Amino acid sequence: MTTARIDPHTHSTVSDGTDSPTGLVEAAAAARIDVLGVTDHDTTAGWADAVAAGERLGVTILRGMEVSTQHEGRSIHLLAYLFDPGHPGLLARTERARSSRLDRARMMVERIAVDFPITWEDVLRHVDDGTTVGRPHIADALVAAGHVPNRNAAFAPGGPCANRTKYYVPHYAPDVGEAIGLVREAGGVPVMAHPWAQRGRALTARALDEAIEAGLLGLEVDHLDHDDEARAGLRRLAERHDLLVTGSSDYHGTGKTNRLGDHLTDPGQLERIVAAGTLPLAGAGHRDAR
Ligand code: AMP
Ligand code: FE
Ligand code: FE
Ligand code: ZN
């Protein structure tokens, strides 16, 4: 028997991926993924279509979300799995983040347009109704206007979508400890996304302590943005604090170079997620899942 291929962190067009939720599952089936995590930023709007496509195409769906959080002003991404999507407290924070992201994107476009002429309407052409707006959508408008060749170039250091530039505007996000508490209250499984991805903006020891105190259950270790040293260090931390460990592609369609299945999660770790979550797996093999 071959081991199941489990890729628990990907994005669709309901946030900053470029495949529709259905297209994402089609791509996963083509990449021989058995269990796909659908984890759009601050929304669960892709779940229903992904589950329907999973039933049709033989892909099991791990329902999740990548929650925008912050610690002392640093942006921290938190994966949440198998939670009640109607939990009022969690829903209130993610809705506020989504609305703040919209205001913030408009402000960034005003600043960027001084040097790279684009309009808010140009950005909206790349955003479906109900999509969580992010800098990648601004990058799409910059690509369409011919200012940069692709999203990645827009995010290059000093580029119009990069961190720590005169164009950058932050958005509201709940404190990481508060968000973890809400995910647990909603019956979900909080796993820190790519904790040491951004040099200098990585999860600090203090933020990790707060996160563990608040009920963090896992760390994403195998990720394109972690080198071998970061992975080894994170694995040691996970052992010390008895946290589950995941690996994922963080696939965004054509928006990033990450390919589905680039990194995977061990079945035993998925079992830990399922055991701790309030929702079951869905899609293929889980037709009766509600
Ligand atoms: P935001 O959520 O608006 O702060 O934008 C951050 C998002 O931009 C992340 O979730 C990534 O998906 C995306 N991103 C970051 N760096 C890059 C890059 N180099 N190329 C493409 N997308 C990126
Ligand atoms: Fe993203
Ligand atoms: Fe992320
Ligand atoms: Zn992600």
Side-chain angles (χ1 to χ4, degrees):
M1 204 194 108
T2 54
T3 309
R5 284 164 54 78
I6 303 164
D7 188 344
H9 174 181
T10 68
H11 296 265
S12 77
T13 47
V14 306
S15 68
D16 56 2
T18 61
D19 296 350
S20 68
T22 303
L24 171 63
V25 179
E26 286 167 355
R32 294 176 297 104
I33 299 298
D34 301 297
V35 182
L36 180 75
V38 177
T39 53
D40 280 297
H41 299 283
D42 301 315
T43 181
T44 61
W47 284 7
D49 283 357
V51 169
E55 283 175 0
R56 187 163 50 83
L57 297 167
V59 180
T60 296
I61 306 299
L62 171 65
R63 289 170 285 183
M65 173 165 74
E66 190 170 6
V67 188
S68 302
T69 80
Q70 52 83 28
H71 183 261
E72 294 170 356
R74 288 167 195 256
S75 166
I76 292 178
H77 286 175
L78 177 75
L79 292 161
Y81 292 110
L82 304 177
F83 56 92
D84 168 12
H87 183 275
L90 184 58
L91 198 54
R93 300 317 185 284
T94 51
E95 281 305 314
R96 185 170 163 206
R98 280 159 44 76
S99 128
S100 172
R101 280 169 158 285
L102 199 58
D103 297 338
R104 168 267 203 154
R106 279 173 175 274
M107 284 190 253
M108 283 193 66
V109 168
E110 270 178 36
R111 295 182 182 190
I112 289 168
V114 174
D115 295 329
F116 306 89
I118 50 165
T119 65
W120 181 237
E121 285 65 40
D122 294 337
V123 175
L124 287 182
R125 270 194 277 280
H126 303 276
V127 180
D128 293 340
D129 273 354
T131 292
T132 299
V133 176
R135 284 176 280 165
H137 301 107
I138 302 176
D140 290 345
L142 289 160
V143 172
H147 296 305
V148 289
N150 51 47
R151 280 187 180 182
N152 199 33
F155 278 92
C161 292
N163 297 326
R164 285 162 295 187
T165 65
K166 60 182 175 177
Y167 310 115
Y168 186 81
V169 178
H171 62 78
Y172 160 81
D175 180 76
V176 67
E178 183 189 17
I180 289 169
L182 288 166
V183 170
R184 292 295 298 270
E185 255 184 43
V189 187
V191 175
M192 201 60 81
H194 46 71
W196 290 351
Q198 294 154 292
R199 211 165 275 283
R201 291 176 70 90
L203 188 74
T204 60
R206 208 166 49 217
L208 181 66
D209 285 346
E210 270 189 43
I212 291 169
E213 182 72 18
L216 185 71
L217 293 176
L219 293 178
E220 185 178 59
V221 172
D222 290 310
H223 186 282
L224 187 71
D225 296 345
H226 290 157
D227 60 18
D228 289 347
E229 197 187 330
R231 292 176 200 199
L234 286 166
R235 245 178 254 287
R236 279 195 297 273
L237 276 176
E239 265 176 45
R240 188 183 313 153
H241 298 286
D242 193 30
L243 299 170
L244 66 92
V245 161
T246 66
S248 78
S249 65
D250 201 356
Y251 173 77
H252 280 68
T254 59
K256 274 186 171 183
T257 57
N258 314 27
R259 296 296 91 198
L260 281 164
D262 272 356
H263 301 288
L264 298 167
T265 292
D266 288 339
Q269 303 296 312
L270 176 65
E271 278 173 27
R272 289 177 73 175
I273 294 175
V274 173
T278 197
L279 294 183
L281 292 170
H286 303 272
R287 263 182 180 283
D288 295 324
R290 287 289 172 272

